[in-house]
Amino acid sequence: MTTPLLKVTDLSKRYFSGYKGFRRQYTEALAPISFELNSGETLAIAGEAGSGKSTLARILVGAEYRSGGQILFNGEPLD
């Protein structure tokens, strides 16, 4: 069995949106998503406006921090 080139497990992102009373409120921009991509494969991400496509791309290239989940590239974790 070969190691996937890219393995994403339960990746999610939420943004702080303010307070309600004294409780912090968050907006979920990316619900937990998991996928594997092997060498030579192509992955297409499609969805409606506001579904998290750009947020996913920014997290994968390291332009934004994730709120949860794990990203492995060639079996090595990306921070």
Side-chain angles (χ1 to χ4, degrees):
M1 182 173 167
T2 62
T3 302
L5 181 64
L6 180 67
K7 182 176 181 179
V8 173
T9 308
D10 295 328
L11 188 67
S12 64
K13 177 67 178 177
R14 64 184 192 157
Y15 294 101
F16 173 70
S17 60
Y19 290 93
K20 185 174 183 181
F22 292 105
R23 300 189 70 182
R24 295 172 64 99
Q25 301 295 306
Y26 294 92
T27 301
E28 186 176 59
L30 183 64
I33 183 172
S34 299
F35 61 88
E36 289 184 7
L37 189 63
N38 294 307
S39 182
E41 291 183 339
T42 303
L43 176 69
I45 306 294
E48 297 178 6
S51 63
K53 300 177 303 289
S54 296
T55 300
L56 174 61
R58 286 192 301 267
I59 292 170
L60 290 176
V61 298
E64 200 162 317
Y65 292 108
R66 61 186 181 263
S67 299
Q70 183 180 34
I71 303 171
L72 298 174
F73 182 73
N74 276 334
E76 298 292 322
L78 295 180
D79 292 328

